[in-house]
Amino acid sequence: ATPAAIAVGLGRGTRKGILFRNAKSLELFKNITTVVFDKTGTLTKGQLAINNFETTTTETEFKQIVFSIEKYSNHPIAKAITVQCKINNVISWKKIDEIKGVGMKAEDMEGNIYLLGKNTDENLHTAYLTKNGSPIGWFDMEDEIREEAKAVIDYLHSKNITTILLSGDSEERCKKVADTVSIKKIYAQTSPEE
């Protein structure tokens, strides 16, 4: 009966959009004591929208720089920006690199270095833009929480399963999402290695 039950469980999971790497994973579910959730695209819809920004340059130039950098990244924030700030006059970079867990670094043809991403001193905003080490702007993005997130967390809590939010985002934004879905334990501002 066990193989048949596992086959049915795997089939039902697949119909609900849940894929199991192997049957053993399904068998081990009864021993789960803790579930760790990422924030963006897991507890939230992953459909980020810019809701606020500030810059020392013009809005057009700021968006041009940000778009021209983010188009080279696969991060969910970058993808949202390239959709919302689509422009035709893209900057050609001499060199551009993605620094995992930090952001993007770009060098223009005149040798100016732009950094777009986290600020280690201040994490009030989603991302910061600097030029040659001097701040030239920041922006905030919001993401809508999935309708089913709170129900899933409540269900896990009813089964005495501990829930944790683990994210590279700021403590403040993680706490906002965690409070909404009733997760008490948060690990924010973590690097991919952590």
Side-chain angles (χ1 to χ4, degrees), residues 93-112:
W93 302 109
K94 183 177 181 180
K95 184 178 179 184
I96 189 157
D97 294 306
E98 186 164 6
I99 305 163
K100 292 288 181 201
V102 176
M104 298 292 291
K105 179 180 180 180
E107 181 180 352
D108 68 15
M109 297 306 174
E110 288 82 45
N112 295 302

Side-chain angles (χ1 to χ4, degrees), residues 84-98:
Q84 293 174 45
C85 298
K86 197 161 205 136
I87 58 169
N88 293 326
N89 56 338
V90 178
I91 298 169
S92 295
W93 302 109
K94 183 177 181 180
K95 184 178 179 184
I96 189 157
D97 294 306
E98 186 164 6

Side-chain angles (χ1 to χ4, degrees), residues 1-39:
T2 301
I6 289 172
V8 169
L10 293 173
R12 289 185 70 187
T14 302
R15 283 193 299 279
K16 297 278 189 178
I18 302 167
L19 300 176
F20 295 93
R21 193 171 68 189
N22 54 43
K24 186 75 173 163
S25 301
L26 186 61
E27 289 181 64
L28 295 174
F29 262 76
K30 69 182 183 336
N31 301 324
I32 291 175
T33 59
T34 304
V35 176
V36 180
F37 292 92
D38 180 36
K39 185 175 71 63

Side-chain angles (χ1 to χ4, degrees), residues 31-180:
N31 301 324
I32 291 175
T33 59
T34 304
V35 176
V36 180
F37 292 92
D38 180 36
K39 185 175 71 63
T40 306
T42 303
L43 294 174
T44 65
K45 292 184 177 181
Q47 298 169 343
L48 297 155
I50 297 171
N51 67 339
N52 195 14
F53 74 93
E54 191 173 295
T55 182
T56 58
T57 185
T58 67
E59 178 179 341
T60 303
E61 183 181 8
F62 180 71
K63 286 183 176 180
Q64 178 190 30
I65 296 166
V66 170
F67 175 83
S68 297
I69 292 173
E70 292 289 51
K71 73 179 240 159
Y72 292 98
S73 175
N74 289 318
H75 193 278
I77 289 174
K79 288 179 180 180
I81 289 193
T82 55
V83 168
Q84 293 174 45
C85 298
K86 197 161 205 136
I87 58 169
N88 293 326
N89 56 338
V90 178
I91 298 169
S92 295
W93 302 109
K94 183 177 181 180
K95 184 178 179 184
I96 189 157
D97 294 306
E98 186 164 6
I99 305 163
K100 292 288 181 201
V102 176
M104 298 292 291
K105 179 180 180 180
E107 181 180 352
D108 68 15
M109 297 306 174
E110 288 82 45
N112 295 302
I113 304 293
Y114 293 88
L115 292 173
L116 178 62
K118 290 183 177 182
N119 181 329
T120 54
D121 300 326
E122 180 185 321
N123 274 304
L124 300 175
H125 304 290
T126 303
Y128 296 82
L129 177 64
T130 63
K131 177 181 179 181
N132 299 324
S134 297
I136 61 171
W138 54 260
F139 59 86
D140 289 328
M141 299 188 87
E142 284 294 322
D143 193 0
E144 196 176 332
I145 294 175
R146 290 180 180 269
E147 295 86 11
E148 67 275 13
K150 174 104 170 76
V152 169
I153 302 300
D154 289 344
Y155 174 79
L156 293 171
H157 289 169
S158 76
K159 300 295 182 187
N160 294 318
I161 295 173
T162 302
T163 55
I164 297 172
L165 173 59
L166 175 68
S167 176
D169 209 345
S170 74
E171 182 85 29
E172 181 183 326
R173 285 190 292 279
C174 288
K175 185 166 177 17
K176 184 178 175 184
V177 170
D179 288 347
T180 303

